[in-house]
Amino acid sequence: MDVKSVRGLVGNKLSFESVSADNGLKRAANMTADEIISQVIASGLRGRGGAGFPTAKKWEFARSEKGDSKYIVCNADEGEPGTFKDRLILTDFPDLVFAGMAIAGKAVGAEHGILYLRAEYAWLRDHLEKVLEWRRSAKLLGKGLFNNKYFNFDIQIRMGSGAYICGEETALLESLEGRRGDARNRIPFPVQAGFLGKPTVVNNVETLAWVPCIIEKGPSWFSAMGTKKSPGAWLFSVSGDCKRPGIYEYPFGTSLHQLLEDVGGEDAKAVQVGGASGLCVPPTGFSRTLSAGDLATGGSIIIYGPEQDMFDVAENFQHFFADESCGQCVPCRIGNVRLLDAIRKMRKAGLDAETERTLRQLTSTMRTASKCGLGQSSTKAFLSILDNFKNELPPVVGEAKATAAAE
Amino acid sequence: MEGQSPVQLEVERLIRVHGRNRTALMPILQELNRAHSYLSEEAMLCVSKELGVPRAEVYGVATFYSFLSVRPRGRFVIRMCRSISCAKQGKFHPVTAALMEELGISFGETTPDGLFTLEKTNCMGMCDQGPAILVNEDVHVKLTVASVLEIIDDYRRKAKAEGFGKKIA
Ligand SMILES: Cc1cc2nc3c(=O)[nH]c(=O)nc-3n(C[C@H](O)[C@H](O)[C@H](O)COP(=O)(O)O)c2cc1C
Ligand code: SF4
Ligand code: FES
């Protein structure tokens, strides 16, 4: 398959177009691990997979672990509904990702890289294998990068098999080890004991792609793009009711207003920021900004036009979570199904105050008692829709009768 | 070799490629699933024995992942995205109706000739270009009724060229 045939729209100029992956890698090859890590610290780069963890910190942890072998895992499971920026990076800029993995390897002392590619992206595999093959022949991968016998790093591709939870890093590691994607308990963290018990760095595709750019152009080039608290730029996947859905790059601190104007979604009734596990923002919040301090996101922006039934959205997402929960812990396994049932009921018969109280209690249990991020954040969409669009529910059947009788 | 079934030979070949260890389990199951559209009991038992992974765990893995199946499926598995950016284009998008009508089946079913299985799936990362389907490993986007019918025809031709169905008939 020609991978460029499904490229879609790129709405503005991307920073990735103006760098050559291997200048950064070449530079890193002549740097010490300390120098690489201090450049990444100075840039302020944070993870793009959703949690926003400072990248250099993660690398430092992994570096300080003793171990004969360490791993760099690139998380290409991109399963959050409404996210597709990693897809574009993998079709258009795979060299940046592979160079980023090698630089991470040099920084933490890892010689093995694994790219975990979601099953839905199997059509990308041949394309990526070809790029890897080319890089090996150009001495940019494999034994002795740049003919330096102390710099070894190779990458293999492993496939997912259709499970959203395997984007969660510990479930991903379970899957790589040939098990069900059941999220692990933390402590130990993957940087301490990850793949096969070895120190492992798991980073998102986009996080890794920024690394060679930062090394080539310098940390201040990167940090100058955003705000002080959230330095840098980000790729956003924009879909839903707008004239120009596609990929957009924005510096942190950009407002939703600005974004809606650019993509032709000015008449939006709400914007979902961060996918199914993110927040639904009503028009009163459109002056909020996309940044670590305000609307943190994994890059998914879904726009709802005036016609959209918001509880249709809530039901769709809730169905997603009930479907994708790994089922290990009760609050998430049962809670998500209960919530789905409740949404279906309230769409027909409204929501009375008593039931609402019980449901809110349930969501708080799910948030606090679930083992991993899936169960902890699966109630966010529902709650933000309930808080802002309760008027879209039909009147409560009993109450409706009472009102009718009083009139 | 004497007494070895085709499945055993196939599993042995895959073990030579992927290794005889636990981390090889997923790649081996994935390849078997890809070649036969599903994992037969015989195949799972054979993998369990050869890798030394308890059969309950092999079955556990096979049933955890939505792209692995323990029940027979069609030669081509069509997966339609049901997540919000695609679904918003109308629950009964004409493309959905056209697919069901053309194949004569609904979601979760396989055509009697064993050629197509129709399934729904969660977001496949094509949200800017919906409605989208995956057919086995290929992705098709911006579907219209005309284009989806053409796609089905292409796969029918492909199956014919492979001689699909001759063995059964
Ligand atoms: C349910 C769930 C799904 C996730 N899916 C992804 C994903 O598809 N891609 C990704 O990079 N991170 C995903 N994450 C976050 C990862 O666990 C992890 O934080 C991330 O890969 C770390 O990379 P980063 O520091 O570069 O962001 C997911 C987390 C959860 C809880
Ligand atoms: S919160 Fe949900 S997905 Fe996470 S471990 Fe528990 S059951 Fe599994
Ligand atoms: S919502 Fe259909 S591909 Fe993402």
Side-chain angles (χ1 to χ4, degrees):
Chain A
M1 203 185 113
D2 171 18
V3 301
K4 295 284 168 81
S5 67
V6 292
R7 184 170 185 263
L9 171 82
V10 177
N12 55 13
K13 178 115 181 110
L14 306 182
S15 297
F16 292 156
E17 292 167 36
S18 67
V19 284
S20 126
D22 299 320
N23 289 347
L25 180 58
K26 194 166 187 179
R27 208 176 249 209
N30 294 315
M31 287 160 77
T32 64
D34 277 333
E35 284 167 344
I36 295 173
I37 289 180
S38 67
Q39 296 262 303
V40 178
I41 290 179
S43 73
L45 177 66
R46 282 169 178 272
R48 302 300 203 234
F53 193 82
T55 305
K57 225 180 220 164
K58 196 181 271 187
W59 294 6
E60 271 185 321
F61 286 137
R63 181 178 178 227
S64 66
E65 291 292 325
K66 293 198 179 52
D68 47 346
S69 49
K70 299 181 184 178
Y71 292 89
I72 306 294
V73 173
C74 172
N75 186 343
D77 200 52
E78 190 161 64
E80 191 61 58
T83 318
F84 46 89
K85 57 165 180 101
D86 294 345
R87 176 197 91 211
L88 179 93
I89 296 172
L90 292 172
T91 57
D92 285 26
F93 311 103
D95 286 293
L96 283 177
V97 180
F98 297 144
M101 290 174 77
I103 297 172
K106 178 122 206 252
V108 310
E111 298 192 345
H112 313 283
I114 302 173
L115 179 111
Y116 186 87
L117 186 67
R118 68 186 306 217
E120 292 82 348
Y121 288 173
W123 52 271
L124 270 166
R125 183 170 184 165
D126 285 347
H127 159 72
L128 295 173
E129 292 282 11
K130 271 190 208 126
V131 177
L132 288 176
E133 214 31 70
W134 174 83
R135 295 184 70 78
R136 281 186 200 107
S137 67
K139 288 272 168 208
L140 298 167
L141 203 65
K143 284 223 175 313
L145 275 70
F146 301 103
N147 293 317
N148 171 351
K149 68 176 178 190
Y150 297 109
F151 191 1
N152 305 312
F153 191 82
D154 211 339
I155 297 171
Q156 52 162 319
I157 298 178
R158 293 283 304 267
M159 300 302 299
S161 268
Y164 165 70
I165 185 61
C166 288
E168 195 281 334
E169 57 188 8
T170 63
L172 187 159
L173 294 171
E174 286 290 301
S175 176
L176 279 179
E177 291 182 10
R179 298 172 211 279
R180 297 161 68 91
D182 291 341
R184 295 178 181 171
N185 281 319
R186 262 166 241 252
I187 304 194
F189 287 94
V191 287
Q192 303 166 304
F195 181 55
L196 302 174
K198 309 286 185 196
T200 303
V201 166
V202 181
N203 273 138
N204 172 256
V205 171
E206 185 188 342
T207 314
L208 290 161
W210 282 110
V211 169
C213 310
I214 290 167
I215 302 290
E216 181 188 340
K217 298 206 164 189
S220 51
W221 164 82
F222 182 75
S223 58
M225 286 192 280
T227 65
K228 213 163 171 190
K229 251 189 95 190
S230 316
W234 200 305
L235 295 195
F236 290 91
S237 316
V238 182
S239 67
D241 302 320
C242 62
K243 295 196 191 78
R244 294 174 291 279
I247 302 282
Y248 292 76
E249 177 181 317
Y250 285 108
F252 276 131
T254 303
S255 71
L256 281 180
H257 268 311
Q258 171 76 52
L259 183 142
L260 285 171
E261 201 181 299
D262 293 352
V263 306
E266 293 94 335
D267 63 348
K269 156 182 187 180
V271 178
Q272 185 79 22
V273 181
S277 33
L279 277 183
C280 179
V281 182
T284 48
F286 287 176
S287 53
R288 295 178 70 179
T289 58
L290 301 159
S291 62
D294 192 359
L295 294 168
T297 115
S300 162
I301 303 278
I302 304 171
I303 297 168
Y304 307 128
E307 308 295 314
Q308 181 66 48
D309 174 342
M310 295 312 291
F311 283 85
D312 208 23
V313 175
E315 183 177 337
N316 187 294
F317 286 160
Q318 208 50 53
H319 185 249
F320 173 77
F321 288 120
D323 208 30
E324 297 287 356
S325 161
C326 84
Q328 249 189 114
C329 57
V330 176
C332 170
R333 183 183 64 230
I334 312 277
N336 279 309
V337 175
R338 279 284 168 86
L339 218 49
L340 176 60
D341 286 346
I343 293 172
R344 286 184 173 148
K345 252 184 223 144
M346 72 181 77
R347 293 190 68 187
K348 286 207 189 92
L351 179 64
D352 61 72
E354 173 75 35
T355 313
E356 184 176 343
R357 257 198 307 280
T358 316
L359 284 179
R360 284 188 187 269
Q361 229 159 34
L362 171 68
T363 61
S364 116
T365 307
M366 289 166 68
R367 242 186 346 270
T368 47
S370 289
K371 179 165 164 182
C372 85
L374 190 150
Q376 289 158 11
S377 52
S378 65
T379 60
K380 273 161 86 177
F382 167 69
L383 286 175
S384 53
I385 288 172
L386 187 65
D387 287 342
N388 294 298
F389 298 99
K390 205 158 122 188
N391 61 346
E392 289 189 11
L393 286 174
V396 178
V397 178
E399 261 176 27
K401 266 193 216 131
T403 333
E407 272 166 7
Chain B
M1 240 190 284
E2 204 194 326
Q4 282 200 312
S5 70
V7 170
Q8 278 171 322
L9 290 171
E10 195 178 3
V11 170
E12 265 171 30
R13 184 186 62 79
L14 291 172
I15 286 177
R16 276 195 296 279
V17 177
H18 297 286
R20 191 182 293 277
N21 52 52
R22 180 71 193 235
T23 56
L25 180 63
M26 283 284 281
I28 289 173
L29 292 183
Q30 284 164 345
E31 285 208 35
L32 289 167
N33 189 72
R34 189 174 184 223
H36 306 280
S37 292
Y38 85 112
L39 298 164
S40 66
E41 196 173 316
E42 189 190 358
M44 286 188 281
L45 286 173
C46 183
V47 171
S48 153
K49 190 158 153 250
E50 292 298 325
L51 291 185
V53 175
R55 37 175 97 169
E57 285 190 33
V58 173
Y59 184 76
V61 168
T63 48
F64 182 86
Y65 295 94
S66 68
F67 277 51
L68 301 178
S69 175
V70 295
R71 267 175 294 147
R73 289 196 277 201
R75 167 74 183 82
F76 300 109
V77 179
I78 303 176
R79 295 184 171 88
M80 183 155 210
C81 174
R82 65 157 162 244
S83 292
I84 198 72
S85 294
C86 290
K88 260 153 45 75
Q89 322 221 357
K91 270 209 176 118
F92 296 101
H93 193 282
V95 167
T96 315
L99 258 179
M100 287 167 61
E101 190 173 331
E102 177 64 21
L103 300 177
I105 53 174
S106 54
F107 289 86
E109 296 177 353
T110 299
T111 53
D113 61 3
L115 209 46
F116 295 101
T117 296
L118 197 51
E119 290 185 356
K120 283 196 181 162
T121 192
N122 292 322
C123 181
M124 56 176 81
M126 289 293 160
C127 336
D128 53 338
Q129 299 169 61
I133 55 172
L134 280 174
V135 182
N136 289 357
E137 297 185 348
D138 293 333
V139 66
H140 302 274
V141 297
K142 294 184 182 159
L143 297 175
T144 61
V145 170
S147 74
V148 86
L149 295 179
E150 220 169 276
I151 289 164
I152 296 294
D153 265 350
D154 281 346
Y155 285 103
R156 284 196 177 122
R157 271 194 291 276
K158 198 172 160 191
K160 203 163 182 185
E162 285 174 356
F164 182 88
K166 288 228 177 85
K167 273 176 279 177
I168 303 168

